[in-house]
Amino acid sequence: MSTATVRQAEPAVSSGQFRRRPVPTSRRLRQLGRHVVLVAICAAFFLPFTIMLLTSFKMPTDIFHVPPRLLPVHWVLSNYRQAFSSMPFGRYLGNSVLLVVLNVGGTLVSCPLVAYALAKLKWPGRGVVFTVVLSAMMLPPQVTMVPVYLIWSKLGLVNTFWPLFAPSFFGTPFFIFLLRQFFRNVPDDILEAARIDGAGEFRTYWQIVLPLAKPALATAAVFQFVWTWTDFVNPLIYIHDNSKFTLSIGLYNFFSEHGVEWGPLMAACGMFTLPAILIFVFAQRYFISGISTTGLK
């Protein structure tokens, strides 16, 4: 009797466990409103890139059609061929890639070392040095533009690539601060265990800390890539030889020489934007992880 009673009661209990409470209508409306706002913001940011991409496949008659047409009537690839033939695209691309590799490499070599010293090593004057780093991060680049140019001019390195990548090997204040905040979250017990096992300070940094800091390093690398790839002011100031131009300067010259040819210009801008998008797509997992964990205790 008791066993049958228990068996009869089991379905009622189990069915009650999986019963879901209905979601209130007001909550559903709030969630729907948030999603609508987010979709609208994403569409506003994505619309200029969409127009640029579609314009690169339009004929001139479609570009200046009244009223405007979003989609091209005749899809053409001649704009891309004309963009390649109107300027030395391969040479400008090679210069930009070279500067990106040097700047990202310099940032990943210098900034983690300084950040580790400020976060995990105890030495006299550490707070003063960190204050100087913060002060340099808050200083507008327009203030130091002329003095830095005079220094490179005295060294005879104007119209070379040195002013465009050498500073990254001496550390960037923003990335030093970013990595320092991440290194502070690494438990000291792990470092003490490595030291007890006989690891030196540099070996502890290289084999213990750096593998744990992959998200923060990826974040710094993505930021440095975008800054170098889209940099326009520094190449414009330091580079005078046409053979050393980057893609950003090449697009500026293309616009000044072919100001009315919007189709080839949009094609060149699309090819200029594509690498930055691909880098973010492939590195977004580390990038988002580094942004979300940096500075959290």
Side-chain angles (χ1 to χ4, degrees):
M1 295 292 293
S2 60
T3 305
T5 305
V6 171
R7 289 181 178 177
Q8 291 178 357
E10 283 180 354
V13 174
S14 60
S15 61
Q17 290 177 350
F18 296 97
R19 184 179 301 169
R20 299 180 61 181
R21 295 181 179 179
V23 180
T25 305
S26 59
R27 183 178 177 183
R28 291 182 178 179
L29 291 177
R30 287 196 300 268
Q31 292 178 350
L32 179 61
R34 285 195 293 264
H35 282 83
V36 170
V37 171
L38 291 176
V39 170
I41 294 175
C42 293
F45 279 98
F46 194 69
L47 182 61
F49 178 76
T50 304
I51 294 176
M52 178 188 69
L53 189 63
L54 293 175
T55 304
S56 66
F57 293 100
K58 290 182 179 180
M59 299 180 64
T61 55
D62 294 336
I63 296 175
F64 300 103
H65 188 273
V66 179
R69 294 171 176 172
L70 180 61
L71 296 177
V73 178
H74 302 286
W75 295 76
V76 295
L77 296 176
S78 58
N79 293 326
Y80 288 88
R81 291 193 294 266
Q82 188 173 349
F84 275 104
S85 61
S86 299
M87 64 177 178
F89 190 88
R91 183 190 304 168
Y92 295 163
L93 177 63
N95 295 336
S96 297
V97 170
L98 176 63
L99 290 177
V100 164
V101 171
L102 292 174
N103 277 283
V104 173
T107 298
L108 296 182
V109 168
S110 60
C111 294
L113 281 171
V114 181
Y116 177 75
L118 292 175
K120 292 301 181 182
L121 301 183
K122 296 181 181 180
W123 43 280
R126 184 179 67 171
V128 176
V129 173
F130 182 63
T131 303
V132 172
V133 171
L134 290 180
S135 302
M137 184 176 65
M138 299 175 186
L139 190 66
Q142 292 81 2
V143 176
T144 60
M145 186 177 296
V146 174
V148 171
Y149 179 84
L150 293 176
I151 293 173
W152 290 113
S153 179
K154 292 293 183 181
L155 294 175
L157 296 176
V158 176
N159 199 29
T160 64
F161 288 146
W162 284 95
L164 302 180
F165 75 86
S168 63
F169 285 88
F170 293 93
T172 304
F174 174 74
F175 297 134
I176 293 174
F177 174 77
L178 181 75
L179 293 171
R180 174 188 176 272
Q181 297 304 107
F182 187 90
F183 288 156
R184 291 185 62 187
N185 300 328
V186 177
D188 293 333
D189 296 340
I190 298 178
L191 307 183
E192 292 297 332
R195 297 186 183 107
I196 292 174
D197 289 340
E201 204 63 56
F202 183 79
R203 185 178 179 183
T204 302
Y205 160 78
W206 184 259
Q207 296 185 353
I208 304 297
V209 177
L210 281 188
L212 296 175
K214 287 181 179 179
L217 294 176
T219 303
V222 171
F223 272 120
Q224 185 63 66
F225 174 87
V226 174
W227 289 357
T228 305
W229 186 260
T230 60
D231 188 14
F232 175 78
V233 175
N234 288 321
L236 182 65
I237 293 175
Y238 291 104
I239 301 299
H240 306 150
D241 189 358
N242 185 49
S243 62
K244 298 177 182 177
F245 283 170
T246 59
L247 271 178
S248 57
I249 303 298
L251 288 178
Y252 174 76
N253 291 338
F254 184 89
F255 180 80
S256 61
E257 296 175 3
H258 309 277
V260 296
E261 299 181 7
W262 289 101
L265 179 61
M266 292 297 102
C269 291
M271 290 184 290
F272 178 75
T273 310
L274 184 61
I277 297 176
L278 294 178
I279 287 295
F280 179 78
V281 168
F282 287 109
Q284 64 175 339
R285 180 167 63 93
Y286 293 104
F287 179 77
I288 296 174
S289 177
I291 291 294
S292 62
T293 57
T294 299
L296 298 180
K297 293 295 290 182

